[in-house]
Every structure is written in C-alpha cells, then in structure tokens.
Amino acid sequence: MNSAEHIVSPYGSWKSPLTAASVASASASVSSVLIDRATNPSRVYWLESRPSEGGRRTLLSKLVDDYSDATLIEHLADTQWNVRTAVHEYGGGAYAVHNGIVVFANWSDQGIYLLDTQQGTPRRIGSLDDKLRYAAFAIHQSGSFVVCVREDHRDSEIEAPAALVAIALTVSQEATPDIVLYRGSDFVSSPAMSVSDEIAFFTWNHPDMNWDATTLWRAQLLIDSGLPTGLDQLRAVAGQTERESIYQPRFDSEGTLHFISDRVGGFWNPYHVNTNGQVTLSLAQPIEEEFASPEWSFGESTMQPVPGRAPCVAVTYGGEDGQSVLGILNVVTHVFDELPTPGWSVLGDFQFGTTRSGEPVLVLVAGGPTEPLSLFTYYINGMTSTRLSAKNSAVDEMAGFVSVPRTIAFPTRLPFNESSVAEAYAYFYPPTNRNYKAPADELPPLLVLSHGGPTSAAHAVYQPKIQYWTSRGFAVVDVNYGGSTGYGRAYRERLYPQFGVVDVEDCCAAALHLSATGIVDRHRLSIMGGSAGGFTTLACLAFRPEVFAVGASLYGISDLEVLIKETHKFEAQYPVHLVGPYPEAQAVYKSRSPLYSVDTLACPAIFLQGLEDKVVPPNQAVFMVEKLREKGIRVAHLEFEGEQHGFRQAKNIVRALEAQLFFFGKILGFVPADHIEPAVPIYNE
C-alpha cells in the first residue's frame, strides 16, 4: 500500500496484526542457556517459558549446529515440572547439567530433582524439606555432588538465612542432609569451581543490594570419599576494603579467576587474579561502559572464558546508540578483538560449545530493535551468527508495522541542585503502521514507560508489548531515568535516596520534552509501569498531576511504608538506600507514597494486580482504588488469580493488555479497532 492508499484514522484506532494474543504467545521467553561440556559440548540446553501452560518453564535441548530442530528434545514435557526457583523471589539459576545429568529446582515444592537425560523420570534428592529453597547450581566435575545457594525458610520468611551448601547426587528414599560450606552473610551467590577444586562465590549484607557492595571469596574444597567436608584457605579476593559490585566469578581451564567489578570509575569492567595473586584489570585501561547488568536473578552470563584459549574471555558491553559490542578479550595482552554483530542491543546467557565437526561456537541469547530475544550461535572463528530456532521470527511477518527506536537525551533537574541541568536518556518509538495515517492536524498520544527495578534499564530491543501500542498509533518513550543501569554507578545512584523524586522528574521531563518538540500531543500524555515502575507511574500522577492524562499501574507500589514492612528478604532493606533508614525517615516514606497524596491525584488510572504477589502486596492496589473511587476519579481495577509479581499466564497477559487499551481509549478519546470483551468495568464513569 503506497502513501496515497493509507487509511486515514485517528491515532490509537489503527488496526494492527499484532494482537494481544500474539503478544502473549511472544512472551514465551528463552533463558538459562547451559552446555554440558563434560561429555557432550555439542548439545545446548535452555529453559522456555510457556504462557499457554500457566507460565511454566520447561527444559529443552538440541545440537548447537541443528537449525532444523531435528535433534530437539523436551526433557520435562509433563506439566507437573516447572524449572523455577523462588530464592530471592526472582529466582534464576534453577538448573545445571553435567555428564547427561540435570539437577533442577521444581516450582511446586521447591525441591531439588535429579534427571538422567538418557533415561528415567526426575527423582527428588537432598533434604526433602519444602521450606528450603535452592538456586545457582554448580555440579562438581566428579558428578558426585552439586554446590548451590540455599535459602532457609523453616523459621522465618523474611530473615531466611542464606548458605552455600553441597548436596550428594544420589537418589534415596530418605532425606540427605545438606553439607554447609559457608554461612555468615545475608546473601551468597554464583558459586564456580575450577578443575583443581577451588571454589569462588560472592556475598553481600543488608542494607546493600548486590549492585551496591559485594565481597568475592575464594577457597579450596576439602573432599573426602567423594563429598566435600568444608572449605580451606577461605579468603576475600575483592570487595572487603572497598565498596564495589562484583559479578560472575569464572575459572578458566588454567585456573585463572575472572570476574566483573565496578571498582574503578564506577563501571562494571572485567578483572582477573594474576599469577601473583593480585586483582588486575583485564582491559588496557578502565572504560566507561558496562560489561554486566544488575543481578536481580541468578545465572547472569555476559562473560565466559574461551575453551582452549586461556587467558581469553568472551565479553559484551553497551555501545553507542543502544547497540552492544561483542568481542574476545585477551586479559594478559589486553587485545580486544571485536566481533561483528547484526545490530544486537542485548546479549547474554553466554556459553561455549562445539559443533559436531569440532568448531568452537558461542551460544547466546541476543536481540535488537527488529529482532526479538532469541537463541543464537556465533562462530567465533568465522565471525558469523545464526538464529538457532528453526521457527521464523514473528518480526519476519511484521514488515511495515515495526517501530524502530532512536536514542534520545533530554534535559532534567536534579533535586539536590535544581539550578543545574542534567541529562537523562530514553528510547523513542514513533507510531508505525504501513496501512494507516492520522488526520493531518492530529498529533499522536504518548505512552511513557517507566521500567521496574528501579535498578534496571530499558533496552532498544524488539518488544511486542511496545509494538502493540506503536502499531495502533501511539508514540512510546521507554525512559532510563536516573537510577537506571548502563550508565555507571554515579547515574545509578542518582536515585539514592531520591526514589519517587528523580525517577518522577525524569519521566515527566521526557514527556514534556517530546511534546515541546511538537511530535506528540501535549494533552494526551499517558504513563505505564510495573512493580517499581508502577510506583513511579503513580507518583507521577500524584505529585505531577499537570503532566499526564491517564496512567496504568501493573503490580505497582503505592505505599512505600508497607513495602519496607511486608516485602521479602532480598528487597527488605532496599528502601534504606532508595528512601532512607526506617523508621527514622518514616515521614519521607509517607510523603513520597502516592496513597497518602491521593488528594493531588486528578487523572484516571487502571490497576492490574496478581493475587499471589509476594513482592508488592495486592492490598496496596485495593487501598489506592478505594481512595480514587471516594474522590470520584475514573478508575479500573483487575485482579488475577494464580499470578505472582508479573503476569505469566497467556489469558491474563491478554486480558491485562486489552484492558489497558480499552481504558486508555475511554480516557484519551479514541475507539480501539480491537474487539475487547468483556468490557472493563470503570468506576465513576
């Protein structure tokens, strides 16, 4: 269809091929890539979430050079299996594989199970206690035991002591006690073992999060009769005297310990321990780029030693205009060989394998502005990449409907120096639909996205949930407000202790900047966010009521005081940095909580909440809705059975997305082309 044949229709009412159901099906994500380097380095394993099966995560594998799915195996097809751990509530690191044996955590009972991939059914091992949770599995080279993180909920849900434990990989009718290797820190993470039975891991303590300050430890495993009995020569490698955030300890084949730290300059850069036992920067000099992301979940992998090529590691970092850089770094000579990529903006889950012909291959999850996150192979010798899935990408059928973002920087104010002008960042997506155009005198409505975390980031990667809006005629801006990652520690800590101030200012500044440039409608600015982003959304509506016309809160926080009192261990003291010590700063908690400032909230909002959410209690949404109803403001409220912190079931993803579109149409004055049933009940309409 050429421009003369475009259908003229108001923004928001365009018909899009990207339905809410297709967004839900696209929510089937790939994660947790592993390769069994012990006996079969040609087979790659990964987890796939299944929204159509209640959001469960199943284990799949195939050969790394099979692009037809001829060797594809689903190892846990029975829906009773859901490879997911509740450690830290956010999970990750839910399985490991070695010599054809898989150890995994099952969601329903949080038990540890042993699966022989060649035969048999999963069998439970270990303590057999449902009050114990496990994650970050690392199987010893002997195959006789696994080392992992244990979170103990037997006496307390909030305190839940953490420990590093070893568990024998034997099936027994009776419980096998855990072998405790380390305890004494509030949190422990990421155990890694060397061929000489050294072990490394990192720890941290309240009130810090792992992106604030961690300590890297190294020790020798003491092993007797095939099982560990403890640790010898335990010593701190880094982080004991300086505040630094340390991630991803890795031993290469020669026993060199590699890790990522922000110790110099505040950016996560690669380091290693040299032959003299000294921590050494692996680059020629520190660079202001991030080689890692905050570890909300276990199992992050943006650095891996290259097998057979010590002391080389594969690494990635954020480059210009949201594009990421991939390369091989020799940590001794500091030579960095950049590898060409097809415009990827997100790379992770690095694992090395070998093709059937013996060629080394990097397997990773990657995506870009026109490529959803998918499983890829990268041939480091030939410098070529191929999508490993035999299925066509959904984007292949979306030509002319995909909005490609551009990076924007915009002026904002810092609360501690309002006279100065600082910069914040975002990705702007214009409305895009090859079949439609709007009337000449109309500007598009703008949807501001405030990401969760808040210590997280927006990325310029294809996301169906964004394209759902842009293909219907919305402009979208995905904001990396102060506090976001990817810009170094100083930018990350702009939010300390200014949560509810800096993020609000930046989201409002992004919207007003775009309206001032004349590319969006000043009177139809909307905002949406989930979790911490939901708090930012509600805070924008409450404290800057002159900016937005409507907002949507997905499992968002409305009462900061309730959050610090009722949340889980991992984030129990996160607000100490974000807001201030409690109860000393109780007045600040209340003053920044939208629930206590509902009198200033003057625009409609829709609330969507999972009823099993342990991160944000569902009663927060109930309280807020009741206040808005009493005030006479149009408000909608949908609750979802069986959902935790985030929606995983296909039917609920569909309902939540369509409900937002329906509600926004009512408020902003457009009629969606979609047939949305049942209608969303709106109070005070």
Side-chain angles (χ1 to χ4, degrees):
M1 180 180 291
N2 60 45
S3 59
E5 297 173 323
H6 281 141
I7 301 169
V8 178
S9 185
Y11 289 114
S13 64
W14 298 351
K15 185 175 179 59
S16 170
L18 190 60
T19 64
S22 60
V23 172
S25 64
S27 298
S29 62
V30 173
S31 65
S32 304
V33 177
L34 291 177
I35 286 179
D36 183 358
R37 294 203 54 81
T39 55
N40 193 359
S42 296
R43 180 163 287 274
V44 56
Y45 294 77
W46 71 93
L47 298 182
E48 180 180 284
S49 65
R50 298 275 179 82
S52 61
E53 298 177 14
R56 83 175 185 101
R57 294 173 184 170
T58 187
L59 178 66
L60 303 172
S61 77
K62 67 186 295 188
L63 294 179
V64 297
D65 51 2
D66 170 22
Y67 302 101
S68 66
D69 284 354
T71 64
L72 180 67
I73 299 173
E74 182 175 356
H75 297 279
L76 297 169
D78 193 309
T79 55
Q80 71 174 302
W81 305 116
N82 184 357
V83 187
R84 186 177 164 212
T85 174
V87 177
H88 295 176
E89 299 300 331
Y90 295 100
Y95 81 103
V97 58
H98 177 84
N99 199 20
I101 300 298
V102 174
V103 175
F104 70 94
N106 193 44
W107 177 254
S108 61
D109 56 14
Q110 289 299 297
I112 302 178
Y113 287 80
L114 189 76
L115 170 68
D116 185 336
T117 58
Q118 301 302 313
Q119 59 185 7
T121 302
R123 300 282 300 276
R124 189 165 181 178
I125 63 171
S127 66
L128 311 184
D129 190 332
D130 293 358
K131 290 289 187 178
L132 297 175
R133 302 176 183 178
Y134 302 89
F137 300 103
I139 301 176
H140 186 256
Q141 59 188 339
S142 67
S144 61
F145 63 90
V146 62
V147 175
C148 58
V149 173
R150 184 185 73 185
E151 194 175 72
D152 188 346
H153 290 256
R154 287 176 294 190
D155 297 325
S156 171
E157 284 295 317
I158 296 298
E159 297 303 323
L164 192 69
V165 301
I167 298 167
L169 295 184
T170 55
V171 176
S172 172
Q173 296 297 322
E174 298 181 355
T176 303
D178 299 339
I179 303 167
V180 177
L181 301 176
Y182 173 89
R183 67 175 120 210
S185 299
D186 290 329
F187 301 94
V188 59
S189 182
S190 305
M193 290 176 282
S194 75
V195 293
S196 58
D197 289 337
E198 277 197 287
I199 187 169
F201 55 93
F202 68 83
T203 63
W204 72 98
N205 291 301
H206 282 317
D208 288 323
M209 302 296 284
N210 59 49
W211 46 84
D212 295 319
T214 57
T215 300
L216 177 63
W217 300 90
R218 185 175 190 171
Q220 189 73 35
L221 279 169
L222 297 175
I223 298 177
D224 183 30
S225 301
L227 293 176
T229 58
L231 301 180
D232 188 32
Q233 302 175 48
L234 177 66
R235 58 205 183 276
V237 175
Q240 194 172 39
T241 59
E242 301 288 337
R243 284 182 63 81
E244 59 183 297
S245 172
I246 298 165
Y247 290 144
Q248 301 183 39
R250 307 273 191 267
F251 288 101
D252 65 23
S253 57
E254 295 184 355
T256 299
L257 176 59
H258 303 264
F259 60 96
I260 295 174
S261 171
D262 69 348
R263 57 167 38 202
V264 178
F267 285 79
W268 282 306
N269 281 196
Y271 289 80
H272 68 283
V273 180
N274 66 19
T275 54
N276 296 322
Q278 297 174 323
V279 172
T280 305
L281 179 68
S282 298
L283 302 165
Q285 58 186 13
I287 63 173
E288 293 188 348
E289 301 289 356
E290 304 274 44
F291 286 73
S293 301
E295 293 205 356
W296 282 94
S297 57
F298 295 97
E300 297 294 324
S301 180
T302 55
M303 176 185 69
Q304 280 292 343
V306 182
R309 287 180 58 182
C312 292
V313 293
V315 292
T316 181
Y317 63 85
E320 295 182 359
D321 297 324
Q323 300 301 298
S324 291
V325 176
L326 174 67
I328 304 297
L329 171 66
N330 185 310
V331 306
V332 174
T333 66
H334 309 304
V335 172
F336 180 76
D337 293 322
E338 184 174 340
L339 301 175
T341 69
W344 289 331
S345 56
V346 176
L347 295 85
D349 280 280
F350 285 12
Q351 294 292 327
F352 273 101
T354 307
T355 66
R356 283 171 282 189
S357 63
E359 185 175 357
V361 61
L362 174 65
V363 184
L364 69 162
V365 174
T370 59
E371 179 73 59
L373 290 173
S374 305
L375 194 62
F376 282 87
T377 54
Y378 197 106
Y379 292 82
I380 59 174
N381 290 340
M383 295 189 293
T384 59
S385 61
T386 307
R387 189 190 306 142
L388 193 53
S389 172
K391 302 175 184 177
N392 289 331
S393 168
V395 182
D396 297 340
E397 302 171 1
M398 287 286 291
F401 298 98
V402 177
S403 179
V404 177
R406 62 179 173 89
T407 303
I408 65 169
F410 55 91
T412 188
R413 294 176 300 171
L414 300 179
F416 36 84
N417 187 1
E418 293 196 12
S419 62
S420 67
V421 177
E423 270 193 338
Y425 310 97
Y427 296 108
F428 175 74
Y429 297 77
T432 305
N433 188 313
R434 71 188 185 198
N435 295 331
Y436 287 88
K437 67 178 181 180
D441 60 348
E442 185 180 357
L443 290 173
L446 175 69
L447 176 60
V448 175
L449 297 180
S450 54
H451 64 70
T455 308
S456 184
H459 298 282
V461 67
Y462 177 87
Q463 299 176 68
K465 68 177 183 180
I466 290 179
Q467 304 297 329
Y468 178 85
W469 294 93
T470 56
S471 61
R472 284 165 172 76
F474 269 75
V476 173
V477 63
D478 207 357
V479 182
N480 276 323
Y481 48 77
S484 301
T485 57
Y487 307 91
R489 182 181 282 261
Y491 192 83
R492 192 165 75 237
E493 292 186 349
R494 275 190 193 178
L495 207 57
Y496 288 1
Q498 302 292 339
F499 186 37
V501 180
V502 165
D503 48 326
V504 169
E505 177 63 35
D506 290 355
C507 285
C508 292
L512 295 173
H513 169 75
L514 290 169
S515 64
T517 59
I519 57 176
V520 300
D521 188 340
R522 171 64 184 88
H523 301 291
R524 293 196 292 172
L525 304 180
S526 61
I527 185 169
M528 176 174 64
S531 188
F535 164 78
T536 300
T537 292
L538 293 173
C540 285
L541 301 182
F543 304 122
R544 296 293 300 277
E546 78 282 4
V547 177
F548 294 101
V550 63
S553 170
L554 287 74
Y555 37 91
I557 306 158
S558 62
D559 183 356
L560 290 173
E561 191 175 18
V562 171
L563 180 61
I564 199 170
K565 288 179 178 179
E566 296 185 14
T567 195
H568 57 111
K569 179 187 176 183
F570 182 66
E571 295 180 89
Q573 295 189 39
Y574 189 20
V576 171
H577 285 310
L578 292 173
V579 184
Y582 190 88
E584 294 88 339
Q586 184 178 27
V588 179
Y589 281 80
K590 286 185 176 292
S591 69
R592 293 190 195 163
S593 294
L595 182 66
Y596 299 110
S597 298
V598 71
D599 289 344
T600 63
L601 200 158
C603 65
I606 181 171
F607 295 78
L608 303 116
Q609 178 70 46
L611 290 178
E612 295 182 12
D613 192 336
K614 293 183 179 179
V615 178
V616 177
N619 61 5
Q620 291 204 9
V622 173
F623 293 155
M624 196 73 177
V625 170
E626 289 176 352
K627 293 288 187 180
L628 293 175
R629 288 183 66 181
E630 292 172 3
K631 194 176 179 184
I633 294 174
R634 284 177 290 179
V635 62
H637 182 209
L638 297 181
E639 296 179 317
F640 298 94
E641 294 277 357
E643 293 286 11
Q644 294 91 38
H645 195 61
F647 304 146
R648 293 177 172 83
Q649 300 179 42
K651 64 178 182 178
N652 295 334
I653 295 171
V654 170
R655 180 59 172 158
L657 197 53
E658 290 186 339
Q660 293 169 72
L661 181 65
F662 180 91
F663 187 78
F664 278 27
K666 289 288 187 181
I667 305 304
L668 299 179
F670 65 86
V671 179
D674 308 66
H675 180 68
I676 300 174
E677 289 290 345
V680 178
I682 300 175
Y683 300 111
N684 299 322
E685 188 175 21

PDB file of all heavy atoms in Angstrom, residues 326 338-342 344 378 383-385:
ATOM      1  N   LEU A 326      30.321  -7.037  21.013  1.00  0.00           N
ATOM      2  CA  LEU A 326      30.726  -8.396  21.357  1.00  0.00           C
ATOM      3  C   LEU A 326      32.181  -8.581  20.951  1.00  0.00           C
ATOM      4  O   LEU A 326      32.602  -8.107  19.883  1.00  0.00           O
ATOM      5  CB  LEU A 326      29.846  -9.414  20.625  1.00  0.00           C
ATOM      6  CG  LEU A 326      30.227 -10.890  20.751  1.00  0.00           C
ATOM      7  CD1 LEU A 326      30.028 -11.382  22.185  1.00  0.00           C
ATOM      8  CD2 LEU A 326      29.400 -11.736  19.784  1.00  0.00           C
ATOM      9  N   GLU A 338      37.028  -7.272  18.378  1.00  0.00           N
ATOM     10  CA  GLU A 338      35.590  -7.078  18.259  1.00  0.00           C
ATOM     11  C   GLU A 338      35.013  -7.990  17.180  1.00  0.00           C
ATOM     12  O   GLU A 338      35.586  -8.141  16.101  1.00  0.00           O
ATOM     13  CB  GLU A 338      35.272  -5.626  17.942  1.00  0.00           C
ATOM     14  CG  GLU A 338      33.779  -5.329  17.909  1.00  0.00           C
ATOM     15  CD  GLU A 338      33.462  -3.856  17.746  1.00  0.00           C
ATOM     16  OE1 GLU A 338      34.350  -3.018  18.032  1.00  0.00           O
ATOM     17  OE2 GLU A 338      32.319  -3.547  17.324  1.00  0.00           O
ATOM     18  N   LEU A 339      33.883  -8.593  17.488  1.00  0.00           N
ATOM     19  CA  LEU A 339      33.205  -9.486  16.554  1.00  0.00           C
ATOM     20  C   LEU A 339      32.001  -8.763  15.964  1.00  0.00           C
ATOM     21  O   LEU A 339      31.217  -8.158  16.708  1.00  0.00           O
ATOM     22  CB  LEU A 339      32.752 -10.760  17.275  1.00  0.00           C
ATOM     23  CG  LEU A 339      33.863 -11.585  17.948  1.00  0.00           C
ATOM     24  CD1 LEU A 339      33.253 -12.743  18.734  1.00  0.00           C
ATOM     25  CD2 LEU A 339      34.856 -12.104  16.929  1.00  0.00           C
ATOM     26  N   PRO A 340      31.809  -8.798  14.666  1.00  0.00           N
ATOM     27  CA  PRO A 340      30.658  -8.114  14.066  1.00  0.00           C
ATOM     28  C   PRO A 340      29.349  -8.786  14.458  1.00  0.00           C
ATOM     29  O   PRO A 340      29.266 -10.008  14.560  1.00  0.00           O
ATOM     30  CB  PRO A 340      30.919  -8.252  12.561  1.00  0.00           C
ATOM     31  CG  PRO A 340      31.789  -9.457  12.437  1.00  0.00           C
ATOM     32  CD  PRO A 340      32.644  -9.478  13.659  1.00  0.00           C
ATOM     33  N   THR A 341      28.327  -7.976  14.710  1.00  0.00           N
ATOM     34  CA  THR A 341      27.005  -8.499  15.055  1.00  0.00           C
ATOM     35  C   THR A 341      25.952  -7.830  14.169  1.00  0.00           C
ATOM     36  O   THR A 341      26.198  -6.753  13.620  1.00  0.00           O
ATOM     37  CB  THR A 341      26.649  -8.230  16.528  1.00  0.00           C
ATOM     38  OG1 THR A 341      26.455  -6.817  16.712  1.00  0.00           O
ATOM     39  CG2 THR A 341      27.751  -8.718  17.461  1.00  0.00           C
ATOM     40  N   PRO A 342      24.792  -8.445  14.042  1.00  0.00           N
ATOM     41  CA  PRO A 342      23.730  -7.872  13.200  1.00  0.00           C
ATOM     42  C   PRO A 342      22.888  -6.824  13.918  1.00  0.00           C
ATOM     43  O   PRO A 342      21.653  -6.857  13.886  1.00  0.00           O
ATOM     44  CB  PRO A 342      22.892  -9.099  12.838  1.00  0.00           C
ATOM     45  CG  PRO A 342      23.043 -10.013  14.008  1.00  0.00           C
ATOM     46  CD  PRO A 342      24.448  -9.802  14.511  1.00  0.00           C
ATOM     47  N   TRP A 344      22.718  -6.175  17.277  1.00  0.00           N
ATOM     48  CA  TRP A 344      22.144  -6.571  18.560  1.00  0.00           C
ATOM     49  C   TRP A 344      22.300  -5.456  19.593  1.00  0.00           C
ATOM     50  O   TRP A 344      23.307  -4.769  19.644  1.00  0.00           O
ATOM     51  CB  TRP A 344      22.842  -7.823  19.088  1.00  0.00           C
ATOM     52  CG  TRP A 344      22.525  -9.068  18.316  1.00  0.00           C
ATOM     53  CD1 TRP A 344      21.380  -9.353  17.628  1.00  0.00           C
ATOM     54  CD2 TRP A 344      23.373 -10.217  18.172  1.00  0.00           C
ATOM     55  NE1 TRP A 344      21.451 -10.604  17.069  1.00  0.00           N
ATOM     56  CE2 TRP A 344      22.662 -11.154  17.382  1.00  0.00           C
ATOM     57  CE3 TRP A 344      24.645 -10.543  18.624  1.00  0.00           C
ATOM     58  CZ2 TRP A 344      23.207 -12.402  17.052  1.00  0.00           C
ATOM     59  CZ3 TRP A 344      25.179 -11.779  18.299  1.00  0.00           C
ATOM     60  CH2 TRP A 344      24.465 -12.693  17.524  1.00  0.00           C
ATOM     61  N   TYR A 378      27.129 -18.256  17.578  1.00  0.00           N
ATOM     62  CA  TYR A 378      28.099 -17.344  16.973  1.00  0.00           C
ATOM     63  C   TYR A 378      29.404 -18.110  16.784  1.00  0.00           C
ATOM     64  O   TYR A 378      30.014 -18.559  17.756  1.00  0.00           O
ATOM     65  CB  TYR A 378      28.338 -16.115  17.849  1.00  0.00           C
ATOM     66  CG  TYR A 378      29.004 -14.984  17.093  1.00  0.00           C
ATOM     67  CD1 TYR A 378      28.285 -13.859  16.723  1.00  0.00           C
ATOM     68  CD2 TYR A 378      30.349 -15.061  16.716  1.00  0.00           C
ATOM     69  CE1 TYR A 378      28.882 -12.829  16.001  1.00  0.00           C
ATOM     70  CE2 TYR A 378      30.947 -14.045  15.999  1.00  0.00           C
ATOM     71  CZ  TYR A 378      30.210 -12.928  15.645  1.00  0.00           C
ATOM     72  OH  TYR A 378      30.792 -11.927  14.914  1.00  0.00           O
ATOM     73  N   MET A 383      33.259 -15.695  12.502  1.00  0.00           N
ATOM     74  CA  MET A 383      32.610 -14.420  12.826  1.00  0.00           C
ATOM     75  C   MET A 383      31.236 -14.295  12.156  1.00  0.00           C
ATOM     76  O   MET A 383      30.900 -13.280  11.559  1.00  0.00           O
ATOM     77  CB  MET A 383      33.510 -13.235  12.458  1.00  0.00           C
ATOM     78  CG  MET A 383      34.784 -13.186  13.287  1.00  0.00           C
ATOM     79  SD  MET A 383      35.746 -11.667  13.082  1.00  0.00           S
ATOM     80  CE  MET A 383      36.281 -11.845  11.386  1.00  0.00           C
ATOM     81  N   THR A 384      30.430 -15.357  12.263  1.00  0.00           N
ATOM     82  CA  THR A 384      29.068 -15.335  11.733  1.00  0.00           C
ATOM     83  C   THR A 384      28.103 -15.806  12.805  1.00  0.00           C
ATOM     84  O   THR A 384      28.461 -16.611  13.672  1.00  0.00           O
ATOM     85  CB  THR A 384      28.936 -16.249  10.502  1.00  0.00           C
ATOM     86  OG1 THR A 384      29.299 -17.603  10.872  1.00  0.00           O
ATOM     87  CG2 THR A 384      29.826 -15.776   9.368  1.00  0.00           C
ATOM     88  N   SER A 385      26.867 -15.298  12.741  1.00  0.00           N
ATOM     89  CA  SER A 385      25.848 -15.675  13.713  1.00  0.00           C
ATOM     90  C   SER A 385      24.623 -16.212  12.989  1.00  0.00           C
ATOM     91  O   SER A 385      24.320 -15.812  11.860  1.00  0.00           O
ATOM     92  CB  SER A 385      25.453 -14.474  14.576  1.00  0.00           C
ATOM     93  OG  SER A 385      24.912 -13.444  13.773  1.00  0.00           O
TER      94      SER A 385
END
